[in-house]
């Protein structure tokens, strides 16, 4: 079974963004243009809009126009857009517009102003409506029509995509369509990443719902421009500090014409822009600029060698020997739940160790018994597995004196007679002297204690083997 969500991401050590000119942070302003594309019976929809307006908690009115809702959206197109346009162009801020295709078609003057300003116009879908209940074919058709209409209105097809009110299929469908430099229907990281579907790699540039003026239109949100500015400033400060410490990230700010375009909120936005521009080593970019940089600096990597994507035969062939001569552990792990989190040494070790720990005592004893004696007859006859050979050699067990070999033989014999399985220790963590000292100590344990100790050592050996087999 494959778990499709990626809860690991870049893990503890994200890649170096390498933003241009050594920038410590990439800051990106998005202006959502939805006015004229929202739910309305005038647009052939079943009910009025109820999302992201000054009417908090609004409900749809089936079969009716909602005059107040319509006029709030109209404010965004008639007044809010132009206020934000003056502010952003006046401060020379690069902008990406998420443009709903039907809204753009109804706003020719605003589109002309966007293009004259050099703003990127990405697609925000055909209409500003929910997609969660659309089947793949219906949504695929809506995507195609959005691209067609966007191209006719702006003069070129969109290079970026953000549905917003998306379905579980949206990113896969955008990947399937192809031709997009990025898709932003995700909120899962502070850096871009690659999404694979159907043999294609699609760049995802995550968006934001927290550093977003939409919080003015939600029950839990901003009540004043001061709150908006303070939250944006805190977000910037944390990310800027991380960049200063050597781990640059990306900050997205989401704006809406009918929300941030109101005077009291626009002032807070202006203060934040001034604050950002007062810092050195800040890259304010359009999303397409970030996409181009990331694709060049961090191109997609093949997925065929990722454990979570392997066929069972390939998985067992590669990892069946991680637990000595016990490929049943790999088979059970493959049949259980693998995900992108299993593609690192820590993650795959967790999946394999889970199966080892869940096994019966008899099965785990079988794993212990499968391990060779240290510096024993198999080693002398050069009949160890490649992993065991390298491990024993790393501690110098392939170069014992006659006296040392005799002592190991004596201890091996006594240990097996007492416990019924060979002495096991992660030799890569030890020296010849520390191994011999542990041998002398552990042979005095009772069987239960030593069984548990040996199992922990087996798990440690497996981890060290995976570290040498997989990238971190």
């Amino acid at each position: 079974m494959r778990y499709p969500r990626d809860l690991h991401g870049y893990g503890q050590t994200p890649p170096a963004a390498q933003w241009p000119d050594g920038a410590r942070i990439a800051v990106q302003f998005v202006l959502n243009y939805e006015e004229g594309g929202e739910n309305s019976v005038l647009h052939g929809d079943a009910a009025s809009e109820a999302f992201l307006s000054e009417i908090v908690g609004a409900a749809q009115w089936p079969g009716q126009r909602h005059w107040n809702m319509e006029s709030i959206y109209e404010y965004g197109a008639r007044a809010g857009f132009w206020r934000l346009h003056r502010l952003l162009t006046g401060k020379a801020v690069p902008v990406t517009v998420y443009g709903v295709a039907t809204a753009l078609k109804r706003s020719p003057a605003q589109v002309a102003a966007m293009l004259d300003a050099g703003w990127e116009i990405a697609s925000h879908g055909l209409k500003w409506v929910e997609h969660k209940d659309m089947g793949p074919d219906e949504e695929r058709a809506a995507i195609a029509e959005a691209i067609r209409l966007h191209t006719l209105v702006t003069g070129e097809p969109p290079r970026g995509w953000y549905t917003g009110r998306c379905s579980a299929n949206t990113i896969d469908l955008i990947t399937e369509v192809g031709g997009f430099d990025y898709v932003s229907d995700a909120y899962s990281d502070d850096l871009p990443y690659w999404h694979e579907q159907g043999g294609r790699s699609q760049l995802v540039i995550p968006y934001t719902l927290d550093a977003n003026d939409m919080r003015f239109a939600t029950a839990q949100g901003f009540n004043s421009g001061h709150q908006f500015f303070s939250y944006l400033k805190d977000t910037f400060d944390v990310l800027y500090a991380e960049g200063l410490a050597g781990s640059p990230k990306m900050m997205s700010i989401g704006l809406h014409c009918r929300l941030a375009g109101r005077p009291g909120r626009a002032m807070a936005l202006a203060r934040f822009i001034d604050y950002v521009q007062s810092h050195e080593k800040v890259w304010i970019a359009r999303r397409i600029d970030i996409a181009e940089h990331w694709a060049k600096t961090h191109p997609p990597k093949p997925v065929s060698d990722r454990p979570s994507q392997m066929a069972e035969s390939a998985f067992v062939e590669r990892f069946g020997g991680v637990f000595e001569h016990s490929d049943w552990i790999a088979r059970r792990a493959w049949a259980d739940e693998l995900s992108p989190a299993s593609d690192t040494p820590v993650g795959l070790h967790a999946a394999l160790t889970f199966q080892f720990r869940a096994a019966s005592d008899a099965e785990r004893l079988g794993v212990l018994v499968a391990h060779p004696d240290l510096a024993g007859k198999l080693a002398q006859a050069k009949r160890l597995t490649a992993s065991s050979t390298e491990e024993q050699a790393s501690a110098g067990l392939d170069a014992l004196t006659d006296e040392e070999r005799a002592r190991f033989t004596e201890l091996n014999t006594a240990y097996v007679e007492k416990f019924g399985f060979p002495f096991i220790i992660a030799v890569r963590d030890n020296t010849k002297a520390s191994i011999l000292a542990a041998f002398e100590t552990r042979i005095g344990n009772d069987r239960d204690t030593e069984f548990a100790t040996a199992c922990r050592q087996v798990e440690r050996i497996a981890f060290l083997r995976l570290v040498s087999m997989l990238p971190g």
Side-chain angles (χ1 to χ4, degrees):
M1 182 176 70
R2 295 297 171 269
Y3 186 67
R5 296 171 64 197
D6 184 354
L7 301 179
H8 179 75
Y10 290 124
Q12 190 172 0
T13 54
Q18 301 179 50
W19 300 133
D21 299 320
R24 295 165 185 164
I25 185 173
V27 178
Q28 207 288 294
F29 292 86
V30 167
L31 181 60
N32 293 268
Y33 197 87
E34 300 154 351
E35 291 76 9
E38 78 276 15
N39 280 288
S40 171
V41 295
L42 296 176
H43 305 157
D45 301 306
S48 61
E49 186 56 69
F51 192 45
L52 292 189
S53 79
E54 304 299 328
I55 309 173
V56 177
Q60 287 192 319
W61 291 4
Q64 298 184 55
R65 293 178 64 185
H66 192 317
W67 189 266
N68 289 346
M69 182 66 71
E70 288 181 11
S71 66
I72 287 172
Y73 269 74
E74 287 164 12
Y75 182 93
R78 294 162 55 116
F81 171 82
W82 297 109
R83 178 171 291 113
L84 293 176
H85 180 267
R86 289 191 298 272
L87 169 62
L88 294 165
T89 57
K91 294 184 180 295
V93 174
V95 173
T96 289
V97 176
Y98 286 162
V100 173
T102 51
L104 295 175
K105 185 174 185 294
R106 295 184 173 109
S107 299
Q110 292 90 332
V111 170
M114 296 172 195
L115 295 173
D116 288 344
W119 292 357
E120 175 203 1
I121 307 179
S123 181
H124 200 4
L126 178 62
K127 299 172 67 175
W128 179 229
V129 298
E130 291 287 359
H131 291 67
K132 64 182 179 63
D133 297 321
M134 289 186 183
D137 289 342
E138 182 182 2
E139 187 173 4
R140 188 180 288 111
I143 291 170
E145 179 59 14
I147 296 171
R148 186 190 75 84
L149 193 58
H150 185 109
T151 303
L152 293 175
V153 170
T154 69
E156 60 183 15
R159 297 174 62 186
W161 182 276
Y162 175 70
T163 299
R165 299 160 84 170
C166 65
S167 76
N169 301 312
T170 299
I171 290 185
D172 284 345
L173 290 173
I174 292 300
T175 305
E176 173 190 290
V177 169
F180 284 96
D181 289 70
Y182 69 91
V183 60
S184 288
D185 280 295
Y187 313 94
S188 45
D189 213 301
D190 297 312
L191 288 172
Y193 60 89
W194 293 96
H195 171 80
E196 288 81 24
Q197 170 66 22
R200 290 183 174 179
S201 296
Q202 174 64 61
L203 184 63
V204 177
I205 302 183
Y207 187 45
T208 177
L209 296 182
D210 66 314
N212 192 312
D213 67 1
M214 68 172 286
R215 309 298 287 180
F216 283 110
T218 60
Q220 179 193 9
F222 305 125
N223 291 319
S224 68
H226 174 75
Q227 291 179 343
F228 186 42
F229 170 79
S230 179
Y231 189 84
L232 294 182
K233 177 182 178 297
D234 286 348
T235 301
F236 176 86
D237 286 347
V238 168
L239 295 175
Y240 190 82
E242 290 180 4
L244 188 61
S247 184
K249 305 294 195 315
M250 178 184 72
M251 178 182 179
S252 298
I253 299 98
L255 306 170
H256 297 76
C257 300
R258 63 192 176 278
L259 297 175
R262 294 282 176 175
R265 297 165 186 162
M267 180 59 74
L269 177 62
R271 288 202 306 270
F272 176 68
I273 294 172
D274 290 342
Y275 182 74
V276 169
Q277 293 181 332
S278 72
H279 289 71
E280 63 175 3
K281 298 291 186 181
V282 175
W283 183 36
I284 304 178
R286 302 173 305 170
R287 292 177 91 73
I288 190 61
D289 303 323
I290 293 173
E292 291 175 346
H293 169 82
W294 200 266
K296 179 180 179 181
T297 309
H298 299 283
K301 299 178 181 178
V303 301
S304 58
D305 59 348
R306 296 183 187 176
S308 65
Q309 304 299 314
M310 288 181 174
E312 181 181 17
S313 58
F315 183 86
V316 174
E317 181 180 357
R318 185 169 183 190
F319 302 111
V322 170
F323 282 77
E324 193 84 3
H325 295 298
S326 302
D327 64 5
W328 57 268
I329 294 176
R331 294 185 187 281
R332 291 181 188 178
W334 188 90
D336 190 11
E337 182 180 280
L338 296 178
S339 74
S342 309
D343 294 337
T344 66
V346 170
L348 186 53
H349 182 254
L352 295 171
T353 299
F354 181 91
Q355 302 303 328
F356 175 63
R357 293 175 180 173
S360 66
D361 286 349
E363 289 174 318
R364 287 190 292 155
L365 176 60
V367 176
L368 302 187
V369 171
H371 277 260
D373 290 335
L374 294 182
K377 295 180 179 178
L378 289 178
Q380 296 174 40
K382 301 186 183 301
R383 292 172 55 196
L384 298 178
T385 64
S387 295
S388 291
T389 298
E390 292 176 8
E391 290 159 357
Q392 295 204 22
S394 72
L397 299 186
D398 62 340
L400 299 177
T401 65
D402 290 342
E403 182 180 354
E404 289 170 337
R405 186 175 294 106
R407 184 55 179 154
F408 268 101
T409 300
E410 179 184 357
L411 287 169
N412 279 329
T413 301
Y415 186 96
V416 173
E417 287 179 355
K418 180 175 182 179
F419 298 115
F421 51 85
F423 177 77
I424 301 171
I425 191 170
V427 295
R428 290 190 187 277
D429 291 334
N430 289 274
T431 64
K432 182 168 55 176
S434 66
I435 292 170
L436 192 56
F439 217 151
E440 300 276 8
T441 299
R442 284 171 49 187
I443 200 168
N445 288 337
D446 61 77
R447 189 182 186 282
D448 287 346
T449 299
E450 192 55 22
F451 185 84
T453 301
C455 286
R456 287 194 296 271
Q457 290 298 309
V458 164
E459 294 175 6
R460 177 62 181 170
I461 292 167
F463 177 72
L464 293 173
R465 289 178 176 178
L466 287 170
V467 167
S468 68
M469 297 171 71
L470 292 173

